[in-house]
Amino acid sequence: MSDLPENIGDEALMLLTEIVEERGQWVVYLEIVFPDRTVRHRIQAYSKKRLAEIAAQYIRRGASREKK
């Protein structure tokens, strides 16, 4: 995540995860909302939607911990 500032927790307003179906796979995206922009990162693709949902929960929790 090279386009993110080091002090992400100080600047980020909101963290979101999104699961999108792409070419038969379920892809997890992490969106970080800053006062002046939104940064979206493609995390990983999963063969099953449930696996993507579980991964999205872990990613959201980890990112939220960094935000605090």
Side-chain angles (χ1 to χ4, degrees), residues 38-49:
T38 299
V39 179
R40 187 174 199 218
H41 293 280
R42 183 182 193 276
I43 303 299
Q44 187 170 337
Y46 297 88
S47 59
K48 298 185 187 290
K49 186 176 184 180

Side-chain angles (χ1 to χ4, degrees), residues 51-67:
L51 292 175
E53 291 169 344
I54 292 167
Q57 288 176 349
Y58 284 128
I59 292 163
R60 190 172 37 253
R61 285 181 196 164
S64 294
R65 225 175 297 132
E66 290 294 319
K67 184 179 179 291

Side-chain angles (χ1 to χ4, degrees), residues 6-66:
E6 288 184 27
N7 57 347
I8 183 174
D10 297 338
E11 294 184 23
L13 300 176
M14 188 176 3
L15 301 166
L16 307 166
T17 53
E18 182 180 15
I19 300 169
V20 178
E21 186 176 10
E22 294 180 0
R23 294 178 276 171
Q25 299 253 328
W26 298 95
V27 180
V28 177
Y29 286 92
L30 173 64
E31 292 186 7
I32 306 166
V33 180
F34 294 98
D36 59 341
R37 70 189 189 286
T38 299
V39 179
R40 187 174 199 218
H41 293 280
R42 183 182 193 276
I43 303 299
Q44 187 170 337
Y46 297 88
S47 59
K48 298 185 187 290
K49 186 176 184 180
R50 184 65 186 137
L51 292 175
E53 291 169 344
I54 292 167
Q57 288 176 349
Y58 284 128
I59 292 163
R60 190 172 37 253
R61 285 181 196 164
S64 294
R65 225 175 297 132
E66 290 294 319

